[in-house]
Amino acid sequence: KVKEESKTCADPENAGCGGCYLYRQCVRHSSSACVINGYLVVAGKPLRGMEDINSGTARSWDFLWNVARRGCDSDRCVLITNPVKYRSQHQMHIHFRHYNHGGAAMKKRLESALCGTSGWTHFDQCGSAKARLYDHMPHVFSEVAAAYGGGSLRDVGVTVWFTSACGGGQKAMLLATTRCSIEHGISR
């Protein structure tokens, strides 16, 4: 991982660590974000991960979700971030992938729970999960930070799903889980 978890990958102590591989690959491009390996959006500036997202920083990084959506925006896609203890990289990155059989089942559960609702809803998944339906692609980090009281999202994982099952065109479903990762159970 890294030598000093409290510091970013830009810090000399962490610069050569394996957990900073994505950071090193992205900063070479000198952009605000880059796509790596055809399924990861990586922040182009030092940003450790969900632990650096809160109500004060979220708005600055919401654009990363739109970059990920451009990589995979069909109803068969899911966008994913993992919380601090459930990832191998020390640089913020968002997965954009097609979901697998487990993801199809999760999506159906979300549609059943969310279609016709408004606001955040408790969702039976690991930790204190919350889910919400949007008519549009929301400012994901900002919405989730507000839903969890504005503090650090270090223990929160987020998935964004797209659905046409709720009527009215394509909608976005946000699922925020705590202290777990559902990535490998839902995506290819």
Side-chain angles (χ1 to χ4, degrees):
K1 284 237 183 191
V2 292
K3 290 181 182 174
E4 184 54 59
E5 286 188 8
S6 67
K7 297 181 179 176
T8 69
C9 287
D11 188 274
E13 287 183 65
N14 290 336
C17 296
C20 291
Y21 170 78
L22 292 178
Y23 173 76
R24 289 191 303 275
Q25 295 304 303
C26 193
V27 295
R28 297 184 315 174
H29 298 287
S30 300
S31 64
S32 56
C34 60
V35 175
I36 296 179
N37 298 333
Y39 68 92
L40 293 171
V41 171
V42 180
K45 296 189 185 318
L47 182 67
R48 294 178 301 164
M50 294 300 285
E51 62 272 33
D52 285 346
I53 303 294
N54 57 54
S55 288
T57 62
R59 189 75 173 172
S60 299
W61 300 104
D62 281 330
F63 77 93
L64 293 171
W65 291 96
N66 292 319
V67 175
R69 184 179 188 194
R70 283 193 296 273
C72 195
D73 69 352
S74 78
D75 282 2
R76 296 208 30 86
C77 294
V78 60
L79 314 179
I80 308 164
T81 61
N82 290 310
V84 68
K85 300 289 183 190
Y86 297 89
R87 61 172 199 256
S88 61
Q89 290 293 304
H90 195 61
Q91 176 69 6
M92 170 58 76
H93 58 285
I94 300 173
H95 300 256
F96 57 93
R97 297 176 178 238
H98 288 105
Y99 55 78
N100 62 18
H101 180 58
M106 175 76 68
K107 181 179 174 184
K108 286 229 181 281
R109 287 181 52 217
L110 283 164
E111 290 166 342
S112 294
L114 295 176
C115 288
T117 67
S118 63
W120 288 96
T121 302
H122 170 77
F123 191 76
D124 189 22
Q125 193 59 41
C126 54
S128 58
K130 300 177 183 187
R132 185 171 178 179
L133 180 69
Y134 292 85
D135 288 333
H136 59 281
M137 180 68 174
H139 298 288
V140 177
F141 287 137
S142 294
E143 292 289 322
V144 175
Y148 281 90
S152 169
L153 295 179
R154 70 175 283 112
D155 294 320
V156 179
V158 178
T159 54
V160 178
W161 308 75
F162 304 103
T163 183
S164 298
C166 297
Q170 190 182 59
K171 299 182 185 302
M173 299 183 293
L174 264 62
L175 173 60
T177 57
T178 57
R179 295 179 181 88
C180 70
S181 171
I182 62 172
E183 173 193 353
H184 300 289
I186 63 169
S187 66
R188 297 178 189 183

